[in-house]
Amino acid sequence: MNRIWLHGLLRRRAGRLGMAAAGVAVAVALLASLGAFLASSQASMTARAVRDVPVDWQVQVQPGADPAAVLATVRATPGTMAALPVGFGRADGLTATTGATTQTTGAAVVLGLPDSYRATFPGELRTLAGTDHGVLLAQQTAANLGVSPGDTITANLLGGAAATFRVDGVVELPAANSLFQAVGAPPGSQPAAPPDNVVLLPEARWQALFAPLASTAAAPDLVRTQIHTVRGHVLPPDPASAFTQETGAARNLEAQSSGSAVVGDNLGAALDAARSDAAYAQVLFVFLGLPGAVLAGLLTAMVAAAGADRRRQEQALARSRGVSNAQAMRLAAVEAGSVALAGALIGLGVAAVVGWLAFGSVNFGATTVSAVAWTAGAALVGVLIAAASILAPANKDLRWATVAAVRRSAEPASARERGPWWSRYGVDVLLLAGGGLAVWASSGNGYQLVLAPEGVPTISVSYWAFAGPALLWAGAGLLVWRLADLALRRRQLVRRALRPVAGGLAPTAAAMMARRRRPVARAIVLLGLALAFAASTATFNATYQAQAEADAQLTNGADVTVSESPGVRVGPDAAAALAGVAGVRAVEPLQHRFAYVGADLQDLYGVAPATITGVTALQDTYFQGGSARALMNTLAASPDSILVSAETVKDYQLHPGDVVNLRLQDSATKQLTTVPFHYAGIVNEFPTAPKDSFFVANASYVAAQTGSNAVGAFLIDTGGQNVTSVAQAVQARLGASATVTDIAHTRSRVGSSLTAVDLAGLTRVELAFALVLAAAAGGLVLFLGLTERRRTFAIATALGATRRQLRGLVAAEAVLLTAGGLAAGVAVGWLLSQVLVAVLTGVFDPPPAALTIPWPYLAGTALITVAALGAAAAGALGQGHRPPARELRQL
Amino acid sequence: MSAEKVDAGVAGLAAPVRAGALVVCDAVSRTFRRGGVEVAAVRAASCRVESGMRVALTGPSGSGKSTLLHLLAGLDTPTGGHLSWPGLGGLPRERPGTVGMVFQGPSLIPALDVVENVALPLLLAGLGETEAVERACAALDRLRIGELGVRLPHEISGGQAQRVAVARVLASRPRMILADEPTGQLDHDTGDRVVSVLLETADELGAALVVSTHDAQVARRLSRCWRMDDGRLGIEAAS
Ligand SMILES: Nc1ncnc2c1ncn2[C@@H]1O[C@H](COP(=O)(O)OP(=O)(O)O)[C@@H](O)[C@H]1O
Ligand SMILES: [Mg+2]
């Protein structure tokens, strides 16, 4: 019996079952693709976090313990690939005499490094000038002392005598923050900044100076030894598990060494950060993926509902022939089961193709377990959708016991019917209000979407944040329904609106639409939400990309940046030579100095305020107290103006116009000289500037006050084109005297590991699905609505309707649906874009000043949706104009 | 469509009634294919309907009555033979309002109320809304179902729906009325009344009337009787 039924069913309803299966397939494919994205992105986050750690462990030997014994323990720890001892000694000052002047610095750290250190930990040191080995000075120290390779410096060792060294090279310490961390100290009591002055000595030399001091019991922390360790990176792909495994190993070592070693776990810290990025990726998945899956589910339900009338009639007929309720449900189960099976298989197939196209892998997860989990999960959702949209209504249909009851219940629902039940209780308004409150609460200051306390293995995602957008989605959908329902009731209005399309049949079209309010309003809601999904996803992605690009711009400074080596003195006129390189559009010199404010040393950037915006983008969010343009104008108008960090404003209680006295090095005397500035505004971010405090001032004022116009960097605008080849050409022209970086290279390195994730792949997948959903929502729903009324059109044809008149009737419905759907899509899409960006502020770095609207995609989506609606209308018309006799004979 | 043709159809009362054949069937056949099996619903039927003719089309169920009426109305195309409408000036579908058909099954548009259903052919023929509604109401009153005007098709009985379908034909004042078992779902008295209204209207309009029925009493009220049997049309002499 089931087999016969299934055969008949498949024959008669092949089209509709196919469409329902397609709806299920879209949901399954979307979830499986996003699952693949999530799994692959987590693995790449782990890999990236691990890759960028210069020293995995800094194992601090505790006072009184034997460094050699600790070194042996570390080397014996499973997973350790290499371990080298590093000595930390201190000096209370450095002195250098160059020419007639003598410079003195404050306290310095003296490091002792084994010869193989550089090869083992290549990320820790970068040579800027001189040789790779021997006595090395940190860049800032060399600048403070005004020395270059070949000069001599003297160090007053703490607890020892003075020692004199010949400087062999100048290095940059890219990982100074972690190198000079207080190992074992809680995150809150870490030093605010690495030491200003650092001398690096070969191990033997360091031992000779400091080994005697190490044994002095009087000052146990004058001299310390750390064991720097490389760990084998065989870690679980998921950052959270990797973090747990890695910190476990570190703790195990501490236990093994019975108190003689404390691990500074840089690898763990990096994984810790990746862990919260992974949590954000998960959050993104939920925010961007779930609405799509829900929409696909709604679409499936709508497709299934389009056949409801006929199905009820069939069921009533079957019952009158003695089919029992249980049998009827079994038949519906067969139908739902075949839709679920076909949908899940097609969906997983599509996801495999999508994964292959977008992420270059057919895997649904990084591991077999997650692959199976994602596949099964997505398929399960497909089964649920099929059950909810076919089985549940069939169960409800059992109430329609007789053919007569079916006829009486048949669409359209009575014209005297009041609005939907929820509209009488204002459920839509309540949902919107609740959603607004939730968004307000979860996007306010201090709200943390993802909470991953440093060093604590648990990570918490605030799932409350999902409540806001979810409530807004539901509320907006219902509100659109209410508005559509209200508009359709106002027949005069609809009639007037439809007159241009339906002509003399406008009253008929308006009457039909008013009676079919429910399905028409539902279709408008579905189309509106699908468009809103496409619009909000695209806007979020565009904004995210724009901010990631801004981050790269901030870090690199411009398309191509030339950083001058310390000690090399280049004036702004060197820009002319760079401007001659092919592909260079503009060159902007940027001063870089160090300035003392009180006892604080900060970076100072001198800019040419009139031209700086020509080569690099300054966003308004980088500043406070005025727009980027206004503040640059201030710097130009009053050259002694200065922009300072918010922290400095707080520390020194600054008010606009206050005098800020900075101590800068005078080029003639090499001494610090006091230069007065006036506080004009706050700067949070600036191209090439560090994340912590710094100043921005007028370059010509700084040059006049210090007697030097030396430039720290040249920012080069290439119009975003050929950055790599321009960078190579510039480097070739300059030789080794300067470092040239380009934004393409920076882009691949900066930002959180979230940026590193193949967000472009996610974007493509998301946007393609959103487009499919929008087109399907429009086209399919209209088409089904029209085919369901083939009979209506056949009757009209039999009564003498011309092709043109039929076209008018169909077009009236298409136009109404399109206009309503587009209007709803724009309004809800705008709202949800704002909400997404507000709730997900945490993923943006720097935070966006405004949404970036992807106009081409939005226009394309609107066009394709309209085309789908047009095609559906044309298709329905093609069916409608067959000889009407056959259609009329049926029931 | 030209004003003249509208006049001929919708406003037909004022138009001169041309004598002669409205429709001519010459060995017309209609075969359906159903799952590879051919079903001949109408086999080489020849007939002509002239203005003022009153025809009863009788025959057992499944003999091809509905199929023939659909062919005469131009709603279906023959698979053999030749069909023309000399008195109507061409295919009825292109001459809206010239032929009125009462369908055997439900034929009201579910999303329109009764008055809107009756007025629809008039709107399709280009009449203004006010006039169309007035005429629709008049036709409903004539069939004594004026009070059903604002109901939707699923809110009335099958018999009432059939009378609405008759009213719809009356309102459009056609030159040929084809009624497919219009009394099939009606009790005897109501059916009688419907046939009377059809006859009166046809008289008023000077229109031809073809009524298919298997009710001998109904058939007797019409002057001619055509009999169908297994797709073959037998024409009896006028009584
Ligand atoms: N669309 C169709 N497809 C297949 N067979 C049909 C179709 N319409 C009618 N028939 C067949 O043609 C024959 C005549 O039907 P019909 O004209 O409805 O007869 P009647 O109106 O006299 O009862 C029947 O055998 C019927 O099954
Ligand atoms: Mg029949």
Side-chain angles (χ1 to χ4, degrees):
Chain A
M1 163 89 190
N2 272 10
R3 268 226 343 255
I4 301 168
W5 177 278
L6 188 61
H7 264 249
L9 200 77
L10 283 176
R11 237 202 357 264
R12 266 173 296 134
R13 304 195 197 161
R16 193 159 285 134
L17 285 183
M19 283 188 261
V24 170
V26 170
V28 170
L30 180 62
L31 287 176
S33 309
L34 291 183
F37 156 76
L38 189 62
S40 84
S41 67
Q42 290 195 335
S44 79
M45 280 173 182
T46 305
R48 186 187 158 95
V50 165
R51 189 190 69 198
D52 287 348
V53 178
V55 174
D56 292 341
W57 282 356
Q58 292 173 228
V59 183
Q60 176 119 335
V61 179
Q62 294 303 291
D66 175 17
V70 174
L71 179 60
T73 313
V74 172
R75 286 196 169 139
T77 303
T80 296
M81 310 298 286
L84 293 173
V86 175
F88 284 70
R90 307 223 306 238
D92 62 5
L94 302 176
T95 321
T97 306
T98 47
T101 60
T102 299
Q103 283 77 238
T104 305
T105 70
V109 174
V110 183
L111 293 184
L113 302 177
D115 289 341
S116 56
Y117 188 83
R118 210 177 242 278
T120 314
F121 304 101
E124 203 66 276
L125 304 181
R126 198 158 73 87
T127 304
L128 297 174
T131 62
D132 281 355
H133 46 270
V135 177
L136 308 174
L137 282 191
Q139 172 184 22
Q140 198 181 317
T141 313
N144 290 345
L145 292 171
V147 297
S148 358
D151 293 341
T152 302
I153 63 164
T154 306
N156 298 317
L157 306 185
L158 267 188
T164 299
F165 313 106
R166 196 176 151 276
V167 176
D168 295 306
V170 177
V171 293
E172 187 190 346
L173 301 170
N177 275 325
S178 67
L179 180 60
F180 296 105
Q181 68 183 290
V183 171
S189 55
Q190 286 291 337
D196 293 342
N197 297 298
V198 182
V199 183
L200 303 98
L201 301 179
E203 190 182 17
R205 192 100 184 255
W206 187 88
Q207 285 291 349
L209 290 171
F210 288 96
L213 301 179
S215 46
T216 321
D221 58 341
L222 281 184
V223 179
R224 282 170 293 147
T225 302
Q226 289 185 359
I227 313 298
H228 285 196
T229 311
V230 181
R231 302 278 301 158
H233 295 160
V234 191
L235 293 169
D238 152 44
S241 336
F243 173 78
T244 309
Q245 177 179 321
E246 189 47 39
T247 46
R251 218 152 293 136
N252 184 267
L253 170 65
E254 289 177 347
Q256 291 275 315
S257 70
S258 51
S260 59
V262 174
V263 180
D265 189 358
N266 297 334
L267 187 56
L271 289 170
D272 201 356
R275 211 160 54 111
S276 69
D277 285 336
Y280 265 120
Q282 217 153 327
V283 167
L284 277 183
F285 165 79
V286 174
F287 270 96
L288 303 180
L290 271 196
V294 169
L295 274 174
L298 287 179
L299 194 62
T300 310
M302 195 102 159
V303 168
D309 275 351
R310 192 163 288 195
R311 195 188 50 226
R312 275 184 213 152
Q313 284 161 2
E314 280 173 1
Q315 217 163 69
L317 219 64
R319 186 196 261 268
S320 70
R321 290 185 193 143
V323 175
S324 73
N325 277 0
Q327 276 172 319
M329 277 315 285
R330 227 173 304 144
L331 301 176
V334 168
E335 192 176 333
S338 35
V339 164
L341 185 69
L345 286 179
I346 297 170
L348 291 176
V350 169
V353 173
V354 164
W356 182 62
L357 287 178
F359 312 118
S361 124
V362 193
N363 287 339
F364 293 111
T367 63
T368 320
V369 176
S370 68
V372 170
W374 277 113
T375 311
L380 182 69
V381 170
V383 170
L384 288 180
I385 290 176
S389 53
I390 295 174
L391 222 47
N395 187 34
K396 217 171 90 183
D397 286 351
L398 291 178
R399 280 185 305 167
W400 312 116
T402 62
V403 179
V406 170
R407 244 169 55 89
R408 225 159 286 140
S409 79
E411 200 209 13
S414 165
R416 292 134 199 99
E417 171 211 13
R418 287 168 296 173
W421 66 267
W422 48 262
S423 71
R424 291 195 292 275
Y425 301 102
V427 173
D428 47 350
V429 179
L430 289 176
L431 285 173
L432 281 174
L437 270 177
V439 167
W440 173 75
S442 60
S443 61
N445 276 341
Y447 184 87
Q448 291 254 293
L449 182 54
V450 170
L451 200 62
E454 262 180 84
V456 179
T458 55
I459 186 161
S460 65
V461 174
S462 166
Y463 287 98
W464 274 111
F466 299 109
L471 291 177
L472 287 180
W473 266 107
L478 291 184
L479 183 65
V480 169
W481 188 329
R482 178 200 286 272
L483 293 178
D485 188 78
L486 273 179
L488 289 170
R489 275 166 199 272
R490 305 201 44 197
R491 244 189 265 182
Q492 290 299 331
L493 186 96
V494 177
R495 200 183 278 210
R496 220 168 311 133
L498 292 181
R499 177 95 38 200
V501 219
L505 290 182
T508 310
M512 285 182 174
M513 231 82 87
R515 305 260 160 60
R516 300 188 62 252
R517 274 199 308 279
R518 253 166 80 95
V520 173
R522 240 177 357 208
I524 289 178
V525 169
L526 192 60
L527 177 58
L529 290 186
L531 287 171
F533 172 61
S536 60
T537 310
T539 305
F540 175 80
N541 283 330
T543 308
Y544 186 85
Q545 300 294 352
Q547 292 315 111
E549 184 59 22
D551 190 23
Q553 278 268 353
L554 271 176
T555 308
N556 195 54
D559 294 337
V560 173
T561 300
V562 175
S563 308
E564 297 299 338
S565 301
V568 178
R569 189 157 282 188
V570 179
D573 37 324
L578 295 174
V581 174
V584 172
R585 280 202 192 168
V587 182
E588 178 74 13
L590 182 67
Q591 281 178 351
H592 182 210
R593 308 284 168 90
F594 293 101
Y596 278 98
V597 51
D600 255 14
L601 187 70
Q602 294 188 16
D603 296 80
L604 180 139
Y605 295 90
V607 303
T611 50
I612 176 88
T613 49
V615 292
T616 187
L618 296 181
Q619 294 191 4
D620 289 342
T621 47
Y622 300 173
F623 304 95
Q624 286 167 48
S627 66
R629 174 129 304 283
L631 289 175
M632 286 304 122
N633 288 344
T634 309
L635 285 190
S638 344
D640 65 343
S641 303
I642 193 164
L643 307 179
V644 310
S645 71
E647 211 179 351
T648 307
V649 171
K650 208 178 85 202
D651 288 352
Y652 294 88
Q653 292 292 309
L654 295 178
H655 299 283
D658 282 1
V659 173
V660 180
N661 283 317
L662 299 185
R663 278 171 297 134
L664 288 158
Q665 197 179 46
D666 184 87
S667 84
T669 64
K670 302 279 185 238
Q671 299 296 328
L672 291 176
T673 160
T674 299
V675 180
F677 289 91
H678 285 97
Y679 164 54
I682 294 178
V683 58
N684 304 315
E685 317 249 14
F686 202 77
T688 73
K691 290 270 174 215
D692 46 0
S693 299
F694 59 91
F695 302 106
V696 173
N698 185 318
S700 33
Y701 179 72
V702 173
Q705 295 292 313
T706 60
S708 160
N709 62 2
V711 168
F714 289 96
L715 306 182
I716 298 177
D717 175 29
T718 69
Q721 307 295 309
N722 312 321
V723 287
T724 312
S725 61
V726 172
Q728 280 162 357
V730 169
Q731 184 79 72
R733 177 159 304 197
L734 294 175
S737 72
T739 316
V740 182
T741 53
D742 66 77
I743 193 158
H745 183 244
T746 309
R747 218 178 266 143
S748 68
R749 293 192 54 85
V750 296
S752 64
S753 48
L754 192 58
T755 330
V757 169
D758 197 358
L759 210 71
L762 173 71
T763 307
R764 273 198 300 271
V765 170
E766 280 274 335
L767 297 188
F769 273 107
L771 197 63
V772 167
L773 279 175
L780 212 58
V781 167
L782 179 66
F783 182 77
L784 286 174
L786 292 174
T787 37
E788 202 177 1
R789 278 170 302 133
R790 270 206 298 251
R791 212 182 144 69
T792 293
F793 295 117
I795 295 170
T797 306
L799 296 178
T802 61
R803 211 166 237 286
R804 239 186 79 177
Q805 286 169 324
L806 280 189
R807 208 162 31 208
L809 282 180
V810 170
E813 183 150 345
V815 163
L816 209 76
L817 183 54
T818 311
L822 282 178
V826 167
V828 181
W830 176 85
L831 175 77
L832 287 171
S833 303
Q834 300 282 351
V835 166
L836 270 185
V837 172
V839 173
L840 294 173
T841 315
V843 305
F844 292 103
D845 179 31
L851 297 183
T852 306
I853 315 276
W855 292 112
Y857 175 82
L858 294 186
T861 306
L863 268 180
I864 289 180
T865 306
V866 170
L869 282 160
L877 266 176
Q879 283 190 336
H881 218 78
R882 289 196 302 228
R886 171 185 302 200
E887 208 55 60
L888 285 171
R889 216 178 248 284
Q890 286 170 3
L891 178 115
Chain B
M1 73 196 70
S2 72
E4 189 201 29
K5 275 162 195 158
V6 171
D7 279 347
V10 178
L13 265 182
V17 177
R18 272 171 280 177
L22 297 173
V23 53
V24 179
C25 272
D26 187 8
V28 162
S29 303
R30 178 68 169 97
T31 321
F32 294 103
R33 286 190 76 84
R34 184 189 263 159
V37 186
E38 301 230 323
V39 182
V42 174
R43 301 170 199 253
S46 295
C47 63
R48 42 195 293 140
V49 180
E50 287 167 21
S51 284
M53 254 186 171
R54 306 283 177 267
V55 182
L57 184 61
T58 61
S61 179
S63 58
K65 302 185 294 292
S66 296
T67 308
L68 182 62
L69 288 179
H70 289 151
L71 288 167
L72 294 178
L75 297 175
D76 199 359
T77 31
T79 46
H82 187 72
L83 197 57
S84 63
W85 294 268
L88 301 178
L91 206 69
R93 213 193 290 170
E94 287 159 13
R95 308 273 178 281
T98 52
V99 175
M101 173 107 198
V102 181
F103 295 93
Q104 183 177 2
S107 65
L108 300 183
I109 290 179
L112 294 178
D113 69 20
V114 164
V115 172
E116 287 160 348
N117 260 294
V118 175
L120 181 59
L122 307 177
L123 291 175
L124 289 172
L127 226 65
E129 197 192 349
T130 325
E131 200 187 340
V133 169
E134 269 169 22
R135 269 215 222 167
C137 290
L140 288 170
D141 284 340
R142 189 138 181 205
L143 283 151
R144 298 188 181 162
I145 44 174
E147 77 284 356
L148 297 183
V150 292
R151 296 223 202 147
L152 289 172
H154 71 264
E155 295 167 332
I156 60 178
S157 73
Q160 287 170 328
Q162 210 149 21
R163 277 186 283 164
V164 173
V166 172
R168 184 168 63 187
V169 167
L170 300 192
S172 65
R173 301 178 188 171
R175 306 215 5 232
M176 176 164 78
I177 301 174
L178 306 171
D180 196 357
E181 306 204 19
T183 59
Q185 298 190 42
L186 303 180
D187 59 84
H188 194 80
D189 287 350
T190 319
D192 231 30
R193 161 95 198 141
V194 165
V195 175
S196 301
V197 172
L198 281 172
L199 283 166
E200 283 164 26
T201 312
D203 285 344
E204 270 171 39
L205 300 176
L209 175 65
V210 181
V211 180
S212 86
T213 181
H214 45 234
D215 183 341
Q217 240 174 329
V218 172
R220 242 174 275 132
R221 299 189 59 185
L222 295 134
S223 54
R224 288 160 204 266
C225 185
W226 296 353
R227 201 176 155 72
M228 284 214 77
D229 200 0
D230 194 19
R232 268 177 270 272
L233 178 64
I235 296 188
E236 293 165 19
S239 56

